[in-house]
Amino acid sequence: EDQVTQSPEALRLQEGESSSLNCSYTVSGLRGLFWYRQDPGKGPEFLFTLYSAGEEKEKERLKATLTKKESFLHITAPKPEDSATYLCAVQVHGGYQKVTFGTGTKLQVIP
Amino acid sequence: DAGVIQSPRHEVTEMGQEVTLRCKPISGHDYLFWYRQTMMRGLELLIYFNNNVPIDDSGMPEDRFSAKMPNASFSTLKIQPSEPRDSAVYFCASSPPGLAGLGYNEQFFGPGTRLTVL
């Protein structure tokens, strides 16, 4: 069974304090890994897609990286508006459009 | 575009009652997904459709759950009879056509329906 584990469950940062969120996966054959952001009371919002080990994607203060076993979401000099729950999800070969989500990391950035 | 529309936004019902959740996907999207989110289990895929046809319903917890997509602009998720353990936030998401089923197109989520079964 495909498994996606995110750590830590919660993270509290001071504004400007950079850190990384981890997403480790155990799947039969990774086709793609995705990061979503979810604000309280809202649905997840797509951030990045990563397809192969070594690939990196950036958006503002966020950078996602992928290895053969895990992905990191690096947050550089975060701001309070980056506070949200960050979800990663995996898609496997043969799974078509089905993705399996991790339980997320709740990030709080304090001014 | 208004995005994915879900109704109702909140539903409170008593155990044993029938519950129907509704979703209108983004126009032009041919994939529609139903998810359930709880603190304990996170976001779980229940079922998804492609061109109104159910493709994978392996996440539907039991026969009390059913989903339909009678046309490209409307889908329902029904729970009958409802139980307290069904309490969760239910999300509908849609995505645009893929490249012959390959690759991944980002999913656009609706605001969710918070269901409470007493």
Side-chain angles (χ1 to χ4, degrees):
Chain A
E1 183 178 333
D2 301 329
Q3 288 194 337
V4 181
T5 304
Q6 292 189 246
S7 62
E9 290 186 9
L11 182 62
R12 195 174 182 185
L13 299 173
Q14 291 291 133
E15 184 173 0
E17 179 186 1
S18 301
S19 188
S20 297
L21 313 183
N22 178 264
C23 172
S24 62
Y25 58 90
T26 305
V27 299
S28 53
L30 183 71
R31 185 179 184 189
L33 185 142
F34 321 101
W35 284 96
Y36 281 80
R37 169 190 169 129
Q38 185 174 22
D39 292 305
K42 296 187 177 181
E45 181 180 343
F46 176 79
L47 291 173
F48 302 111
T49 306
L50 300 165
Y51 286 111
S52 55
E55 189 175 359
E56 297 183 352
K57 293 279 181 71
E58 286 190 64
K59 182 179 180 179
E60 295 181 355
R61 295 175 293 282
L62 300 177
K63 183 169 79 172
T65 62
L66 180 65
T67 72
K68 289 186 177 181
K69 294 182 179 181
E70 58 193 348
S71 176
F72 293 94
L73 184 65
H74 307 278
I75 303 176
T76 302
K79 298 182 178 181
E81 53 263 41
D82 295 322
S83 297
T85 295
Y86 290 86
L87 302 168
C88 76
V90 298
Q91 184 187 32
V92 299
H93 288 287
Y96 299 98
Q97 294 295 317
K98 177 179 179 178
V99 296
T100 300
F101 279 85
T103 52
T105 293
K106 185 174 183 179
L107 173 66
Q108 182 182 15
V109 182
I110 304 165
Chain B
D1 200 319
V4 175
I5 298 172
Q6 292 187 246
S7 64
R9 293 294 311 278
H10 302 274
E11 177 81 33
V12 180
T13 190
E14 293 188 347
M15 183 174 62
Q17 296 297 306
E18 178 179 295
V19 175
T20 299
L21 311 181
R22 297 172 176 79
C23 175
K24 176 180 171 56
I26 294 173
S27 177
H29 286 191
D30 63 353
Y31 284 93
L32 184 137
F33 305 80
W34 282 102
Y35 289 89
R36 177 173 66 177
Q37 188 173 42
T38 61
M39 288 294 293
M40 290 298 295
R41 301 175 66 89
L43 194 62
E44 301 174 283
L45 177 65
L46 300 177
I47 184 172
Y48 80 93
F49 296 82
N50 179 222
N51 291 321
N52 313 336
V53 176
I55 302 301
D56 187 337
D57 65 354
S58 60
M60 296 286 263
E62 47 198 275
D63 292 344
R64 297 185 298 106
F65 286 69
S66 63
K68 294 182 180 180
M69 192 165 185
N71 57 62
S73 58
F74 184 67
S75 177
T76 60
L77 178 68
K78 185 176 293 186
I79 308 172
Q80 166 64 19
S82 59
E83 296 182 2
R85 59 193 168 117
D86 301 330
S87 297
V89 180
Y90 290 81
F91 288 102
C92 175
S94 68
S95 67
L99 298 174
L102 303 176
Y104 176 83
N105 289 317
E106 62 176 284
Q107 296 180 18
F108 294 78
F109 283 76
T113 295
R114 180 173 295 277
L115 173 65
T116 302
V117 183
L118 302 174

PDB file of all heavy atoms in Angstrom, chain A residues 97, chain B residues 25-26 28-33 48-56 68-75 94-98 100-101:
ATOM      1  N   GLN A  97      -5.240   9.310 -12.525  1.00  0.00           N
ATOM      2  CA  GLN A  97      -5.295  10.605 -11.848  1.00  0.00           C
ATOM      3  C   GLN A  97      -5.456  10.483 -10.329  1.00  0.00           C
ATOM      4  O   GLN A  97      -5.617  11.470  -9.641  1.00  0.00           O
ATOM      5  CB  GLN A  97      -6.436  11.452 -12.414  1.00  0.00           C
ATOM      6  CG  GLN A  97      -6.219  11.857 -13.854  1.00  0.00           C
ATOM      7  CD  GLN A  97      -5.029  12.789 -14.017  1.00  0.00           C
ATOM      8  OE1 GLN A  97      -4.835  13.707 -13.245  1.00  0.00           O
ATOM      9  NE2 GLN A  97      -4.217  12.534 -15.031  1.00  0.00           N
TER      10      GLN A  97
ATOM     11  N   PRO B  25     -18.447  21.192 -10.913  1.00  0.00           N
ATOM     12  CA  PRO B  25     -17.031  21.372 -11.248  1.00  0.00           C
ATOM     13  C   PRO B  25     -16.809  22.596 -12.135  1.00  0.00           C
ATOM     14  O   PRO B  25     -17.760  23.207 -12.620  1.00  0.00           O
ATOM     15  CB  PRO B  25     -16.695  20.088 -12.000  1.00  0.00           C
ATOM     16  CG  PRO B  25     -17.990  19.690 -12.641  1.00  0.00           C
ATOM     17  CD  PRO B  25     -19.061  20.098 -11.669  1.00  0.00           C
ATOM     18  N   ILE B  26     -15.565  22.923 -12.348  1.00  0.00           N
ATOM     19  CA  ILE B  26     -15.200  24.018 -13.251  1.00  0.00           C
ATOM     20  C   ILE B  26     -15.524  23.593 -14.686  1.00  0.00           C
ATOM     21  O   ILE B  26     -15.212  22.455 -15.082  1.00  0.00           O
ATOM     22  CB  ILE B  26     -13.719  24.384 -13.102  1.00  0.00           C
ATOM     23  CG1 ILE B  26     -13.468  24.970 -11.707  1.00  0.00           C
ATOM     24  CG2 ILE B  26     -13.266  25.352 -14.188  1.00  0.00           C
ATOM     25  CD1 ILE B  26     -12.011  25.207 -11.385  1.00  0.00           C
ATOM     26  N   GLY B  28     -15.416  22.716 -18.374  1.00  0.00           N
ATOM     27  CA  GLY B  28     -14.303  22.262 -19.209  1.00  0.00           C
ATOM     28  C   GLY B  28     -13.424  21.219 -18.554  1.00  0.00           C
ATOM     29  O   GLY B  28     -12.623  20.569 -19.220  1.00  0.00           O
ATOM     30  N   HIS B  29     -13.573  21.048 -17.248  1.00  0.00           N
ATOM     31  CA  HIS B  29     -12.820  20.005 -16.551  1.00  0.00           C
ATOM     32  C   HIS B  29     -13.535  18.675 -16.742  1.00  0.00           C
ATOM     33  O   HIS B  29     -14.756  18.605 -16.601  1.00  0.00           O
ATOM     34  CB  HIS B  29     -12.704  20.324 -15.061  1.00  0.00           C
ATOM     35  CG  HIS B  29     -11.726  21.423 -14.784  1.00  0.00           C
ATOM     36  ND1 HIS B  29     -11.313  21.709 -13.490  1.00  0.00           N
ATOM     37  CD2 HIS B  29     -11.064  22.284 -15.597  1.00  0.00           C
ATOM     38  CE1 HIS B  29     -10.434  22.714 -13.539  1.00  0.00           C
ATOM     39  NE2 HIS B  29     -10.277  23.067 -14.806  1.00  0.00           N
ATOM     40  N   ASP B  30     -12.762  17.613 -17.017  1.00  0.00           N
ATOM     41  CA  ASP B  30     -13.429  16.337 -17.245  1.00  0.00           C
ATOM     42  C   ASP B  30     -13.138  15.305 -16.158  1.00  0.00           C
ATOM     43  O   ASP B  30     -13.562  14.163 -16.264  1.00  0.00           O
ATOM     44  CB  ASP B  30     -13.095  15.788 -18.628  1.00  0.00           C
ATOM     45  CG  ASP B  30     -11.626  15.474 -18.805  1.00  0.00           C
ATOM     46  OD1 ASP B  30     -10.821  15.801 -17.901  1.00  0.00           O
ATOM     47  OD2 ASP B  30     -11.261  14.901 -19.852  1.00  0.00           O
ATOM     48  N   TYR B  31     -12.356  15.714 -15.127  1.00  0.00           N
ATOM     49  CA  TYR B  31     -12.156  14.842 -13.971  1.00  0.00           C
ATOM     50  C   TYR B  31     -12.839  15.479 -12.766  1.00  0.00           C
ATOM     51  O   TYR B  31     -12.731  16.690 -12.541  1.00  0.00           O
ATOM     52  CB  TYR B  31     -10.671  14.674 -13.649  1.00  0.00           C
ATOM     53  CG  TYR B  31      -9.933  13.747 -14.573  1.00  0.00           C
ATOM     54  CD1 TYR B  31      -9.263  14.240 -15.688  1.00  0.00           C
ATOM     55  CD2 TYR B  31      -9.889  12.378 -14.325  1.00  0.00           C
ATOM     56  CE1 TYR B  31      -8.579  13.394 -16.536  1.00  0.00           C
ATOM     57  CE2 TYR B  31      -9.193  11.521 -15.168  1.00  0.00           C
ATOM     58  CZ  TYR B  31      -8.538  12.038 -16.268  1.00  0.00           C
ATOM     59  OH  TYR B  31      -7.852  11.196 -17.110  1.00  0.00           O
ATOM     60  N   LEU B  32     -13.516  14.636 -11.978  1.00  0.00           N
ATOM     61  CA  LEU B  32     -14.136  15.113 -10.752  1.00  0.00           C
ATOM     62  C   LEU B  32     -13.819  14.127  -9.641  1.00  0.00           C
ATOM     63  O   LEU B  32     -13.921  12.914  -9.826  1.00  0.00           O
ATOM     64  CB  LEU B  32     -15.657  15.254 -10.906  1.00  0.00           C
ATOM     65  CG  LEU B  32     -16.368  15.839  -9.675  1.00  0.00           C
ATOM     66  CD1 LEU B  32     -17.414  16.857 -10.099  1.00  0.00           C
ATOM     67  CD2 LEU B  32     -16.971  14.765  -8.795  1.00  0.00           C
ATOM     68  N   PHE B  33     -13.416  14.683  -8.490  1.00  0.00           N
ATOM     69  CA  PHE B  33     -12.968  13.880  -7.356  1.00  0.00           C
ATOM     70  C   PHE B  33     -13.796  14.229  -6.124  1.00  0.00           C
ATOM     71  O   PHE B  33     -14.129  15.387  -5.893  1.00  0.00           O
ATOM     72  CB  PHE B  33     -11.502  14.188  -7.030  1.00  0.00           C
ATOM     73  CG  PHE B  33     -10.549  14.034  -8.182  1.00  0.00           C
ATOM     74  CD1 PHE B  33     -10.421  15.029  -9.137  1.00  0.00           C
ATOM     75  CD2 PHE B  33      -9.772  12.889  -8.304  1.00  0.00           C
ATOM     76  CE1 PHE B  33      -9.533  14.896 -10.210  1.00  0.00           C
ATOM     77  CE2 PHE B  33      -8.879  12.750  -9.362  1.00  0.00           C
ATOM     78  CZ  PHE B  33      -8.765  13.747 -10.311  1.00  0.00           C
ATOM     79  N   TYR B  48     -13.430   8.923  -7.984  1.00  0.00           N
ATOM     80  CA  TYR B  48     -13.276   9.953  -8.984  1.00  0.00           C
ATOM     81  C   TYR B  48     -13.867   9.503 -10.317  1.00  0.00           C
ATOM     82  O   TYR B  48     -13.975   8.309 -10.607  1.00  0.00           O
ATOM     83  CB  TYR B  48     -11.835  10.443  -9.109  1.00  0.00           C
ATOM     84  CG  TYR B  48     -10.854   9.597  -9.905  1.00  0.00           C
ATOM     85  CD1 TYR B  48     -10.638   9.826 -11.261  1.00  0.00           C
ATOM     86  CD2 TYR B  48     -10.106   8.613  -9.267  1.00  0.00           C
ATOM     87  CE1 TYR B  48      -9.694   9.095 -11.960  1.00  0.00           C
ATOM     88  CE2 TYR B  48      -9.169   7.876  -9.966  1.00  0.00           C
ATOM     89  CZ  TYR B  48      -8.958   8.119 -11.311  1.00  0.00           C
ATOM     90  OH  TYR B  48      -8.026   7.387 -12.006  1.00  0.00           O
ATOM     91  N   PHE B  49     -14.291  10.506 -11.094  1.00  0.00           N
ATOM     92  CA  PHE B  49     -14.950  10.320 -12.370  1.00  0.00           C
ATOM     93  C   PHE B  49     -14.098  10.930 -13.489  1.00  0.00           C
ATOM     94  O   PHE B  49     -13.397  11.914 -13.273  1.00  0.00           O
ATOM     95  CB  PHE B  49     -16.314  11.044 -12.394  1.00  0.00           C
ATOM     96  CG  PHE B  49     -17.326  10.531 -11.416  1.00  0.00           C
ATOM     97  CD1 PHE B  49     -17.304  10.930 -10.085  1.00  0.00           C
ATOM     98  CD2 PHE B  49     -18.320   9.661 -11.827  1.00  0.00           C
ATOM     99  CE1 PHE B  49     -18.246  10.477  -9.190  1.00  0.00           C
ATOM    100  CE2 PHE B  49     -19.281   9.200 -10.930  1.00  0.00           C
ATOM    101  CZ  PHE B  49     -19.240   9.609  -9.607  1.00  0.00           C
ATOM    102  N   ASN B  50     -14.221  10.342 -14.652  1.00  0.00           N
ATOM    103  CA  ASN B  50     -13.659  10.924 -15.860  1.00  0.00           C
ATOM    104  C   ASN B  50     -14.750  10.921 -16.918  1.00  0.00           C
ATOM    105  O   ASN B  50     -15.324   9.856 -17.206  1.00  0.00           O
ATOM    106  CB  ASN B  50     -12.435  10.143 -16.332  1.00  0.00           C
ATOM    107  CG  ASN B  50     -11.829  10.723 -17.612  1.00  0.00           C
ATOM    108  OD1 ASN B  50     -11.440   9.998 -18.524  1.00  0.00           O
ATOM    109  ND2 ASN B  50     -11.720  12.026 -17.693  1.00  0.00           N
ATOM    110  N   ASN B  51     -15.055  12.092 -17.457  1.00  0.00           N
ATOM    111  CA  ASN B  51     -16.146  12.205 -18.431  1.00  0.00           C
ATOM    112  C   ASN B  51     -17.431  11.555 -17.914  1.00  0.00           C
ATOM    113  O   ASN B  51     -18.104  10.796 -18.632  1.00  0.00           O
ATOM    114  CB  ASN B  51     -15.739  11.593 -19.773  1.00  0.00           C
ATOM    115  CG  ASN B  51     -14.667  12.417 -20.459  1.00  0.00           C
ATOM    116  OD1 ASN B  51     -14.697  13.643 -20.426  1.00  0.00           O
ATOM    117  ND2 ASN B  51     -13.715  11.757 -21.077  1.00  0.00           N
ATOM    118  N   ASN B  52     -17.747  11.826 -16.659  1.00  0.00           N
ATOM    119  CA  ASN B  52     -18.983  11.410 -15.994  1.00  0.00           C
ATOM    120  C   ASN B  52     -19.003   9.927 -15.634  1.00  0.00           C
ATOM    121  O   ASN B  52     -20.000   9.439 -15.096  1.00  0.00           O
ATOM    122  CB  ASN B  52     -20.229  11.725 -16.829  1.00  0.00           C
ATOM    123  CG  ASN B  52     -20.228  13.138 -17.383  1.00  0.00           C
ATOM    124  OD1 ASN B  52     -19.587  14.014 -16.830  1.00  0.00           O
ATOM    125  ND2 ASN B  52     -20.935  13.346 -18.470  1.00  0.00           N
ATOM    126  N   VAL B  53     -17.944   9.192 -15.908  1.00  0.00           N
ATOM    127  CA  VAL B  53     -17.897   7.758 -15.632  1.00  0.00           C
ATOM    128  C   VAL B  53     -17.016   7.511 -14.400  1.00  0.00           C
ATOM    129  O   VAL B  53     -15.893   8.006 -14.347  1.00  0.00           O
ATOM    130  CB  VAL B  53     -17.323   6.982 -16.838  1.00  0.00           C
ATOM    131  CG1 VAL B  53     -17.186   5.500 -16.509  1.00  0.00           C
ATOM    132  CG2 VAL B  53     -18.198   7.192 -18.065  1.00  0.00           C
ATOM    133  N   PRO B  54     -17.515   6.738 -13.416  1.00  0.00           N
ATOM    134  CA  PRO B  54     -16.668   6.442 -12.253  1.00  0.00           C
ATOM    135  C   PRO B  54     -15.471   5.584 -12.657  1.00  0.00           C
ATOM    136  O   PRO B  54     -15.643   4.547 -13.300  1.00  0.00           O
ATOM    137  CB  PRO B  54     -17.619   5.695 -11.306  1.00  0.00           C
ATOM    138  CG  PRO B  54     -18.707   5.171 -12.176  1.00  0.00           C
ATOM    139  CD  PRO B  54     -18.851   6.123 -13.305  1.00  0.00           C
ATOM    140  N   ILE B  55     -14.283   6.023 -12.275  1.00  0.00           N
ATOM    141  CA  ILE B  55     -13.055   5.326 -12.637  1.00  0.00           C
ATOM    142  C   ILE B  55     -12.516   4.494 -11.471  1.00  0.00           C
ATOM    143  O   ILE B  55     -12.053   3.369 -11.661  1.00  0.00           O
ATOM    144  CB  ILE B  55     -11.974   6.322 -13.095  1.00  0.00           C
ATOM    145  CG1 ILE B  55     -12.458   7.150 -14.278  1.00  0.00           C
ATOM    146  CG2 ILE B  55     -10.669   5.585 -13.444  1.00  0.00           C
ATOM    147  CD1 ILE B  55     -12.854   6.324 -15.495  1.00  0.00           C
ATOM    148  N   ASP B  56     -12.552   5.049 -10.292  1.00  0.00           N
ATOM    149  CA  ASP B  56     -12.000   4.361  -9.123  1.00  0.00           C
ATOM    150  C   ASP B  56     -12.853   4.715  -7.909  1.00  0.00           C
ATOM    151  O   ASP B  56     -12.865   5.865  -7.489  1.00  0.00           O
ATOM    152  CB  ASP B  56     -10.547   4.781  -8.902  1.00  0.00           C
ATOM    153  CG  ASP B  56      -9.845   3.973  -7.806  1.00  0.00           C
ATOM    154  OD1 ASP B  56     -10.536   3.413  -6.926  1.00  0.00           O
ATOM    155  OD2 ASP B  56      -8.610   3.920  -7.811  1.00  0.00           O
ATOM    156  N   LYS B  68     -22.818   9.919  -7.818  1.00  0.00           N
ATOM    157  CA  LYS B  68     -23.286   9.946  -9.196  1.00  0.00           C
ATOM    158  C   LYS B  68     -22.790  11.197  -9.893  1.00  0.00           C
ATOM    159  O   LYS B  68     -22.526  12.217  -9.252  1.00  0.00           O
ATOM    160  CB  LYS B  68     -24.818   9.903  -9.239  1.00  0.00           C
ATOM    161  CG  LYS B  68     -25.432   8.616  -8.742  1.00  0.00           C
ATOM    162  CD  LYS B  68     -26.951   8.652  -8.865  1.00  0.00           C
ATOM    163  CE  LYS B  68     -27.576   7.358  -8.373  1.00  0.00           C
ATOM    164  NZ  LYS B  68     -29.056   7.381  -8.481  1.00  0.00           N
ATOM    165  N   MET B  69     -22.698  11.094 -11.207  1.00  0.00           N
ATOM    166  CA  MET B  69     -22.365  12.265 -12.007  1.00  0.00           C
ATOM    167  C   MET B  69     -23.223  12.199 -13.264  1.00  0.00           C
ATOM    168  O   MET B  69     -22.804  11.657 -14.296  1.00  0.00           O
ATOM    169  CB  MET B  69     -20.885  12.316 -12.353  1.00  0.00           C
ATOM    170  CG  MET B  69     -20.479  13.651 -12.929  1.00  0.00           C
ATOM    171  SD  MET B  69     -18.688  13.865 -12.933  1.00  0.00           S
ATOM    172  CE  MET B  69     -18.603  15.566 -13.506  1.00  0.00           C
ATOM    173  N   PRO B  70     -24.454  12.690 -13.198  1.00  0.00           N
ATOM    174  CA  PRO B  70     -25.392  12.561 -14.313  1.00  0.00           C
ATOM    175  C   PRO B  70     -25.008  13.379 -15.544  1.00  0.00           C
ATOM    176  O   PRO B  70     -25.419  13.043 -16.658  1.00  0.00           O
ATOM    177  CB  PRO B  70     -26.715  13.047 -13.712  1.00  0.00           C
ATOM    178  CG  PRO B  70     -26.319  13.921 -12.567  1.00  0.00           C
ATOM    179  CD  PRO B  70     -25.047  13.345 -12.027  1.00  0.00           C
ATOM    180  N   ASN B  71     -24.225  14.435 -15.344  1.00  0.00           N
ATOM    181  CA  ASN B  71     -23.756  15.231 -16.480  1.00  0.00           C
ATOM    182  C   ASN B  71     -22.449  15.920 -16.110  1.00  0.00           C
ATOM    183  O   ASN B  71     -21.990  15.815 -14.965  1.00  0.00           O
ATOM    184  CB  ASN B  71     -24.822  16.243 -16.921  1.00  0.00           C
ATOM    185  CG  ASN B  71     -25.231  17.163 -15.795  1.00  0.00           C
ATOM    186  OD1 ASN B  71     -24.419  17.911 -15.275  1.00  0.00           O
ATOM    187  ND2 ASN B  71     -26.508  17.106 -15.416  1.00  0.00           N
ATOM    188  N   ALA B  72     -21.876  16.627 -17.059  1.00  0.00           N
ATOM    189  CA  ALA B  72     -20.536  17.197 -16.869  1.00  0.00           C
ATOM    190  C   ALA B  72     -20.493  18.333 -15.859  1.00  0.00           C
ATOM    191  O   ALA B  72     -19.407  18.762 -15.459  1.00  0.00           O
ATOM    192  CB  ALA B  72     -19.998  17.686 -18.210  1.00  0.00           C
ATOM    193  N   SER B  73     -21.659  18.822 -15.453  1.00  0.00           N
ATOM    194  CA  SER B  73     -21.651  19.988 -14.583  1.00  0.00           C
ATOM    195  C   SER B  73     -22.247  19.717 -13.199  1.00  0.00           C
ATOM    196  O   SER B  73     -22.508  20.650 -12.436  1.00  0.00           O
ATOM    197  CB  SER B  73     -22.410  21.142 -15.239  1.00  0.00           C
ATOM    198  OG  SER B  73     -23.724  20.763 -15.528  1.00  0.00           O
ATOM    199  N   PHE B  74     -22.432  18.454 -12.853  1.00  0.00           N
ATOM    200  CA  PHE B  74     -23.078  18.182 -11.570  1.00  0.00           C
ATOM    201  C   PHE B  74     -22.734  16.784 -11.064  1.00  0.00           C
ATOM    202  O   PHE B  74     -22.751  15.810 -11.811  1.00  0.00           O
ATOM    203  CB  PHE B  74     -24.607  18.314 -11.725  1.00  0.00           C
ATOM    204  CG  PHE B  74     -25.372  18.143 -10.451  1.00  0.00           C
ATOM    205  CD1 PHE B  74     -25.275  19.065  -9.427  1.00  0.00           C
ATOM    206  CD2 PHE B  74     -26.212  17.042 -10.276  1.00  0.00           C
ATOM    207  CE1 PHE B  74     -25.985  18.906  -8.247  1.00  0.00           C
ATOM    208  CE2 PHE B  74     -26.937  16.881  -9.103  1.00  0.00           C
ATOM    209  CZ  PHE B  74     -26.833  17.814  -8.090  1.00  0.00           C
ATOM    210  N   SER B  75     -22.458  16.728  -9.757  1.00  0.00           N
ATOM    211  CA  SER B  75     -22.209  15.447  -9.122  1.00  0.00           C
ATOM    212  C   SER B  75     -22.787  15.470  -7.708  1.00  0.00           C
ATOM    213  O   SER B  75     -22.883  16.532  -7.084  1.00  0.00           O
ATOM    214  CB  SER B  75     -20.715  15.142  -9.044  1.00  0.00           C
ATOM    215  OG  SER B  75     -20.456  13.916  -8.371  1.00  0.00           O
ATOM    216  N   SER B  94     -11.958  19.276  -9.149  1.00  0.00           N
ATOM    217  CA  SER B  94     -12.000  18.938 -10.569  1.00  0.00           C
ATOM    218  C   SER B  94     -10.651  19.271 -11.192  1.00  0.00           C
ATOM    219  O   SER B  94      -9.875  20.063 -10.651  1.00  0.00           O
ATOM    220  CB  SER B  94     -13.142  19.676 -11.284  1.00  0.00           C
ATOM    221  OG  SER B  94     -12.906  21.075 -11.350  1.00  0.00           O
ATOM    222  N   SER B  95     -10.373  18.620 -12.313  1.00  0.00           N
ATOM    223  CA  SER B  95      -9.139  18.920 -13.040  1.00  0.00           C
ATOM    224  C   SER B  95      -9.404  18.838 -14.535  1.00  0.00           C
ATOM    225  O   SER B  95     -10.324  18.138 -14.974  1.00  0.00           O
ATOM    226  CB  SER B  95      -8.003  17.975 -12.624  1.00  0.00           C
ATOM    227  OG  SER B  95      -8.259  16.654 -13.018  1.00  0.00           O
ATOM    228  N   PRO B  96      -8.589  19.563 -15.304  1.00  0.00           N
ATOM    229  CA  PRO B  96      -8.813  19.613 -16.754  1.00  0.00           C
ATOM    230  C   PRO B  96      -8.350  18.338 -17.434  1.00  0.00           C
ATOM    231  O   PRO B  96      -7.704  17.493 -16.811  1.00  0.00           O
ATOM    232  CB  PRO B  96      -7.969  20.814 -17.188  1.00  0.00           C
ATOM    233  CG  PRO B  96      -6.909  20.921 -16.158  1.00  0.00           C
ATOM    234  CD  PRO B  96      -7.517  20.467 -14.873  1.00  0.00           C
ATOM    235  N   PRO B  97      -8.642  18.190 -18.716  1.00  0.00           N
ATOM    236  CA  PRO B  97      -8.238  16.993 -19.441  1.00  0.00           C
ATOM    237  C   PRO B  97      -6.734  16.801 -19.405  1.00  0.00           C
ATOM    238  O   PRO B  97      -5.968  17.758 -19.502  1.00  0.00           O
ATOM    239  CB  PRO B  97      -8.723  17.263 -20.865  1.00  0.00           C
ATOM    240  CG  PRO B  97      -9.792  18.261 -20.729  1.00  0.00           C
ATOM    241  CD  PRO B  97      -9.435  19.085 -19.547  1.00  0.00           C
ATOM    242  N   GLY B  98      -6.306  15.542 -19.235  1.00  0.00           N
ATOM    243  CA  GLY B  98      -4.890  15.228 -19.271  1.00  0.00           C
ATOM    244  C   GLY B  98      -4.448  14.922 -20.685  1.00  0.00           C
ATOM    245  O   GLY B  98      -5.227  14.981 -21.627  1.00  0.00           O
ATOM    246  N   ALA B 100      -3.903  12.298 -22.900  1.00  0.00           N
ATOM    247  CA  ALA B 100      -4.209  10.881 -23.110  1.00  0.00           C
ATOM    248  C   ALA B 100      -4.067  10.096 -21.815  1.00  0.00           C
ATOM    249  O   ALA B 100      -3.565   8.976 -21.814  1.00  0.00           O
ATOM    250  CB  ALA B 100      -3.297  10.298 -24.185  1.00  0.00           C
ATOM    251  N   GLY B 101      -4.457  10.703 -20.682  1.00  0.00           N
ATOM    252  CA  GLY B 101      -4.404  10.010 -19.400  1.00  0.00           C
ATOM    253  C   GLY B 101      -3.040  10.015 -18.751  1.00  0.00           C
ATOM    254  O   GLY B 101      -2.869   9.478 -17.666  1.00  0.00           O
TER     255      GLY B 101
END
